[in-house]
Amino acid sequence: MDLLVKNARVVTSSESFESSIGVEGGKIASVSPILSPSGARVYDAEGKVVIPGGIDAHTHMELPVTGTTSADDFYSGTVAAACGGITTIVDFVDTKRGQSLLGALADYRRRADSKVAVDYGLHMMLKGQNLPEIDRIPEIVQKGVSSFKVYTAYKARGLMLEDADIARVMEKVKGAGGLVAVHAESERIIQRLIEENLAAGRTGARFHALSRPAEAEAEAISRVAELARRASASIYIVHLSSRAGRAEVEKARREGTRIFAETCPHYLILTDDVYGREDGRNYVMSPSLKKAGDRAALWEGLRPDGVIETVGSDHCPFPSAEKDWGEGDFTKIPNGVPGTEAIIPLLYSEGVRKGRISMFDLARVTSGSPAMRFGLAPSKGSLSVGSDADFVIIDPRKQVRMTADVMHSKIDYSIYDHIKTEGYPVLTVSRGEVVMEDGEFVGHRGKGRFIPRRGDPRSKVT
Ligand code: URP
Ligand code: ZN
């Protein structure tokens, strides 16, 4: 045995029990109240909680965005992930101009394989330039990339697909047993408001949010849900940010659509008040932050009877000097915020400790559900004998103020520096290796592996 965690309170999506956990060869070797160390390193988890390693199914490491690249590469981003208890990320392959889908996939694999400190999978982004290649989707699924992201917005960046093209993608992805992830915001509503605001000289960060109201999200969800229902395809709404959006997901579910949703830590913690601050630009992401009522609706949606089954970070940070490019024109602010390191600390401290969600919910939305939805189970997302030894130990007594100097992302500010947590991850184990201990990264560059993901057999054409 390599590692023995004793006196653990183990919590998964469905169970909570006192046990010891034995780790050997990167796998969970035994889960039993009495285990003998037999040469293993022993970690005493008395008074602490052990949950399956977090799966952050929404990151953008080293992503080119409007004249720059997101600040974390696959190394620094996965160091941050490990320090927050995340043991698997799923990032998005973005094709460069002229690059084929398979060429872009190979490029991402080459860049990520040598850097990742925890395991990773990949989704494929499908934008306008990729449409001539959608017949390649089954081949890409065969390579372990079984989810495809489309955008209903960002026309100027070449990301937006028309509804008819989204419908074609849904047919192809369904046929290959995959899942369509959707960035759902209405280009029509947003563009009109952006033009009105800029023409009237309303250029500050506040107008980023005022140009992206909740109705823009709700309208796009309603539209793509209808396309999915007609195609009998499975869809996954990324970064749900509003009560109105949640209501559209619920409505589509009632109508029998196979629709799933994710939210992000920033929508659960922050509101659009921050855009009025002097550093409001640092909080610019899309969709934008909404109101306190939206935030409450998202917490409710995470409960077992809710429609939000996962929390992903949409980790895509930029330094404040680059956020400043939007001074005088909010559309020039690079969109995106940090988050992968914050998911588990915030969901534990602001969610579980404040009674908004249970410990089971925490384990489910950060690990069990993303493992199942993205074809990573049973090796990920649980703590059973034979599964990967991916887990995080939380000390409920550890208080951490989440300032820039304690977070590991390569940026100069923290959007959560007003938060002092009640409880924090103190040990992260990734395939049997301790990668974070007491806030310090102790893992290795390039130690993570690419995890090929299966498609969803229930969405396959029979
Ligand atoms: O604001 C967001 N969601 N940024 C992520 C990267 C992108 O441009 O989609
Ligand atoms: Zn994203």
Side-chain angles (χ1 to χ4, degrees):
M1 194 180 299
D2 306 321
L3 173 68
L4 171 66
V5 177
K6 64 174 193 177
N7 300 321
R9 156 70 38 197
V10 180
V11 182
T12 67
S13 304
S14 56
E15 291 178 291
S16 169
F17 52 92
E18 299 280 345
S19 187
S20 294
I21 299 175
V23 172
E24 199 166 331
K27 300 274 182 196
I28 307 272
S30 37
V31 180
S32 159
I34 304 160
L35 288 176
S36 114
S38 59
R41 174 185 169 182
V42 177
Y43 184 91
D44 189 349
E46 179 76 52
K48 299 179 181 136
V49 193
V50 185
I51 58 174
I55 297 170
D56 181 356
H58 192 156
T59 65
H60 300 283
M61 307 307 177
E62 47 191 279
L63 175 74
V65 176
T66 49
T68 181
T69 302
S70 59
D72 282 317
D73 68 6
F74 278 100
Y75 179 60
S76 65
T78 51
V79 167
C83 291
I86 300 293
T87 52
T88 307
I89 63 160
V90 191
D91 207 272
F92 291 82
V93 175
D94 182 24
T95 42
K96 297 191 187 113
R97 193 167 302 163
Q99 205 174 28
S100 68
L101 290 171
L102 287 168
L105 173 56
D107 184 30
Y108 264 72
R109 286 289 314 271
R110 187 182 45 74
R111 282 190 284 133
D113 282 350
S114 59
K115 294 182 195 151
V116 284
V118 298
D119 290 346
Y120 79 106
L122 291 168
H123 313 277
M124 181 66 77
M125 279 164 61
L126 292 177
K127 43 192 190 183
Q129 74 172 62
N130 306 124
L131 289 173
E133 281 200 285
I134 60 173
D135 286 341
R136 297 233 160 210
I137 284 172
E139 210 177 323
I140 292 162
V141 172
Q142 285 300 313
K143 289 189 178 288
V145 175
S146 54
S147 35
F148 298 82
K149 182 183 182 191
V150 297
Y151 289 76
T152 64
Y154 286 135
K155 192 171 189 170
R157 281 171 56 192
L159 296 173
M160 189 188 109
L161 296 188
E162 299 295 342
D163 288 1
D165 292 325
I166 293 177
R168 284 201 299 136
V169 167
M170 284 178 179
E171 287 289 350
K172 286 280 173 207
V173 173
K174 178 189 69 170
L179 181 67
V180 178
V182 187
H183 175 128
E185 285 187 294
S186 165
E187 178 77 2
R188 190 175 45 80
I189 296 175
I190 293 167
Q191 270 316 314
R192 184 175 52 79
L193 291 170
I194 288 178
E195 280 162 27
E196 278 176 19
N197 282 322
L198 291 181
R202 298 188 288 256
T203 58
R206 236 158 41 83
F207 295 99
H208 168 74
L210 289 168
S211 303
R212 306 183 100 91
E215 304 83 74
E217 181 170 76
E219 190 278 332
I221 293 175
S222 143
R223 207 156 19 96
V224 292
E226 177 60 15
L227 296 175
R229 192 183 62 75
R230 284 169 189 262
S232 303
S234 300
I235 58 168
Y236 177 87
I237 305 297
V238 294
H239 48 47
L240 188 75
S241 68
S242 66
R243 181 183 289 276
R246 191 192 93 179
E248 289 299 335
V249 176
E250 289 164 349
K251 177 166 168 285
R253 276 268 179 99
R254 285 195 299 275
E255 291 167 355
T257 310
R258 283 181 53 78
I259 185 168
F260 312 98
E262 160 205 270
T263 191
C264 309
H266 37 275
Y267 304 120
L268 293 167
I269 302 296
L270 303 168
T271 64
D272 62 0
D273 292 346
V274 296
Y275 296 122
R277 294 167 45 145
E278 204 188 327
D279 62 350
R281 292 190 287 285
N282 289 348
Y283 298 79
V284 164
M285 82 295 283
S286 294
S288 55
L289 298 167
K290 305 290 190 302
K291 307 280 177 205
D294 297 286
R295 180 172 63 179
L298 297 174
W299 279 112
E300 286 160 20
L302 290 176
R303 295 187 193 143
D305 56 350
V307 289
I308 307 175
E309 62 171 15
T310 63
V311 175
S313 67
D314 200 3
H315 184 87
C316 191
F318 299 94
S320 54
E322 292 181 1
K323 290 287 198 181
D324 287 349
W325 292 346
E327 187 149 21
D329 180 350
F330 62 85
T331 64
K332 301 216 161 40
I333 306 170
N335 278 208
V337 291
T340 193
E341 188 171 2
I343 296 176
I344 290 177
L346 290 173
L347 285 187
Y348 180 74
S349 181
E350 297 293 305
V352 176
R353 296 298 294 266
K354 294 195 172 166
R356 292 174 169 130
I357 56 171
S358 70
M359 248 345 265
F360 298 113
D361 298 336
L362 170 66
R364 176 173 51 81
V365 302
T366 60
S367 192
S369 290
M372 188 267 297
R373 183 62 51 218
F374 290 107
L376 292 160
S379 55
K380 308 284 188 197
S382 65
L383 285 174
S384 313
V385 172
S387 64
D388 287 355
D390 289 352
F391 54 86
V392 50
I393 302 182
I394 297 172
D395 182 348
R397 292 158 302 217
K398 184 161 178 175
Q399 299 182 324
V400 173
R401 185 166 288 279
M402 296 174 71
T403 50
D405 56 322
V406 299
M407 311 300 284
H408 293 78
S409 197
K410 290 227 163 309
I411 52 166
D412 53 325
Y413 60 92
S414 162
I415 59 171
Y416 300 116
D417 59 4
H418 60 294
I419 296 209
K420 185 174 176 194
T421 66
E422 292 293 334
Y424 211 83
V426 288
L427 194 89
T428 306
V429 175
S430 166
R431 260 186 306 99
E433 182 191 359
V434 176
V435 289
M436 181 278 287
E437 187 156 10
D438 292 331
E440 294 295 321
F441 176 69
V442 293
H444 297 96
R445 184 186 181 98
K447 181 260 166 196
R449 283 192 199 146
F450 175 70
I451 308 291
R453 298 179 296 107
R454 291 182 322 284
D456 174 358
R458 286 168 300 173
S459 64
K460 211 162 192 154
V461 182
T462 50

